[in-house]
Amino acid sequence: MNSTTTPLVSVYIPTRNRSALLRRAIDSVLAQTWPAVEILVCDEASTDDTPEVMADYERMFPGRFTYLRNDTPQGACRARNRCIEHARGHYVTGLDDDDLFHPQRIQCLVELYERHKPSFACTRFRYFEDEARIAPLLARRYDGAERAAADDLTLPALLYTNLAGNQVLTELSRMLELGGFDESMPSWQDYDMWIRLADRFGTAVRSRHVLSFVDDDRSRARIRNSSRRAEGSARFLAKHGNLMNADQRRNHRNIQYVMNKERPPLLDIVRNVSLGGYKSTVKVLLHKFFGVAIG
């Protein structure tokens, strides 16, 4: 294999006590059309059969896997960083243990990255609870012209909201240069990293196709349903507020209202109307007057 024309892509997966879902995530990486992929799994002290599952994969696919294990849970952010520290690829991307990739995701992202030379490349994503509902999207195959369809994600656009989702592809050297994910953040570590990449290396690029799928089963604990999400938002604003204009800062105050399920005084809502982030303003108004909490 020519490493110049087929650069290795490292995929990091943090996991804890989700062996069945981990299998699904790993299988979606093994099904990738891009031929040069290594998979790094960091196990956060699982007490289920995750070690046995990983032993099976390492036996079936020698040289494809790196299995790391923490004796005590250190958090998904530290698990991601451990994988990045052991990665060998030119490119790196990630996957949560309960999510999955479209078979052409990595191929599409590498092609976009090499064509546009962005700070990072990402795709559109879809939340799902029933895997059967996304089966048609998983079965769809995209030709070269379709895979080339993409839009720029500028730093100003990203400062309004996380348009990239929870995973991107970038050069491993860039992740290492930036020190990996910020382990002091209780949440929003992904969004924080995308902002740092765009601030340091310029405009990103996003495929127009849905090539990433995020399991939204609310019966399981997820950061997006917890108070840590609101705390992460507050720290994000403190960390990156200096990059934002007044309209972007107003938008993030509205995002905090939504996450905290607050009903601020109408005067505060008027003061924080954001033209570029109008969706968060609408969400605050819906919760204020109708008790409808979205997001």
Side-chain angles (χ1 to χ4, degrees):
M1 185 180 297
N2 187 331
S3 61
T4 301
T5 57
T6 312
L8 180 66
V9 177
S10 301
V11 180
Y12 56 82
I13 306 176
T15 191
R16 176 169 167 78
N17 289 334
R18 290 178 174 176
S19 62
L21 291 171
L22 177 63
R23 284 183 183 274
R24 183 180 70 179
I26 288 174
D27 288 346
S28 80
V29 180
L30 291 173
Q32 292 297 297
T33 56
W34 188 256
V37 176
E38 69 164 353
I39 302 172
L40 301 101
V41 174
C42 187
D43 178 1
E44 281 281 273
S46 292
T47 56
D48 64 2
D49 63 341
T50 293
E52 290 75 22
V53 167
M54 291 308 305
D56 287 343
Y57 276 113
E58 289 179 305
R59 183 169 51 253
M60 290 186 292
F61 302 94
R64 295 286 302 275
F65 285 87
T66 297
Y67 176 53
L68 307 168
R69 179 177 169 84
N70 294 330
D71 293 332
T72 58
Q74 298 177 29
C77 193
R78 176 60 194 145
R80 295 184 188 105
N81 283 341
R82 279 203 71 193
C83 290
I84 290 169
E85 290 160 7
H86 286 78
R88 298 178 292 113
H90 179 73
Y91 295 113
V92 63
T93 188
L95 180 62
D96 288 345
D97 61 1
D98 54 346
D99 299 337
L100 63 154
F101 287 165
H102 182 280
Q104 291 177 295
R105 180 183 184 271
I106 290 177
Q107 179 183 4
C108 178
L109 291 182
V110 172
E111 289 173 348
L112 288 176
Y113 198 101
E114 298 195 341
R115 180 178 297 112
H116 296 276
K117 308 300 182 187
S119 56
F120 64 81
C122 61
T123 75
R124 293 184 180 275
F125 59 94
R126 177 72 54 84
Y127 289 110
F128 74 96
E129 294 183 29
D130 181 358
E131 195 172 340
R133 296 191 173 216
I134 60 172
L137 290 172
L138 284 167
R140 170 78 188 276
R141 295 297 178 267
Y142 300 92
D143 62 28
E146 290 173 318
R147 293 195 305 273
D151 300 299
D152 288 344
L153 291 184
T154 64
L155 178 61
L158 286 165
L159 285 169
Y160 273 105
T161 191
N162 184 3
L163 297 169
N166 65 351
Q167 309 293 351
V168 309
L169 179 139
T170 191
E171 294 174 56
L172 174 61
S173 60
R174 292 183 171 182
M175 282 276 202
L176 293 173
E177 179 181 334
L178 293 174
F181 292 93
D182 184 347
E183 297 175 26
S184 71
M185 296 278 289
S187 64
W188 283 34
Q189 303 99 332
D190 48 0
Y191 187 18
D192 166 69
M193 173 59 85
W194 315 156
I195 292 298
R196 288 190 285 137
L197 282 166
D199 185 39
R200 177 73 64 87
F201 300 108
T203 297
V205 65
R206 182 178 67 179
S207 167
R208 293 176 185 170
H209 304 296
V210 176
L211 300 178
S212 185
F213 302 90
V214 179
D215 194 322
D216 199 32
D217 184 348
R218 309 242 169 164
S219 67
R220 296 194 303 272
R222 295 187 69 100
I223 284 178
R224 64 191 298 265
N225 297 328
S226 74
S227 60
R228 285 185 294 166
R229 188 165 172 248
E231 184 184 351
S233 168
R235 291 199 189 184
F236 178 91
L237 185 58
K239 186 173 181 178
H240 299 296
N242 63 310
L243 297 176
M244 299 179 188
N245 60 34
D247 195 57
Q248 290 160 339
R249 287 192 292 272
R250 288 194 294 269
N251 180 61
H252 276 272
R253 281 193 287 272
N254 284 332
I255 290 173
Q256 290 174 326
Y257 284 144
V258 171
M259 286 190 299
N260 290 324
K261 294 182 170 56
E262 295 181 47
R263 293 184 172 182
L266 184 57
L267 182 58
D268 286 356
I269 296 176
V270 171
R271 287 172 178 160
N272 287 322
V273 167
S274 170
L275 298 178
Y278 66 91
K279 290 182 180 179
S280 63
T281 303
V282 171
K283 289 178 180 180
V284 173
L285 288 169
L286 286 172
H287 186 55
K288 168 75 173 177
F289 293 107
F290 301 102
V292 177
I294 302 174

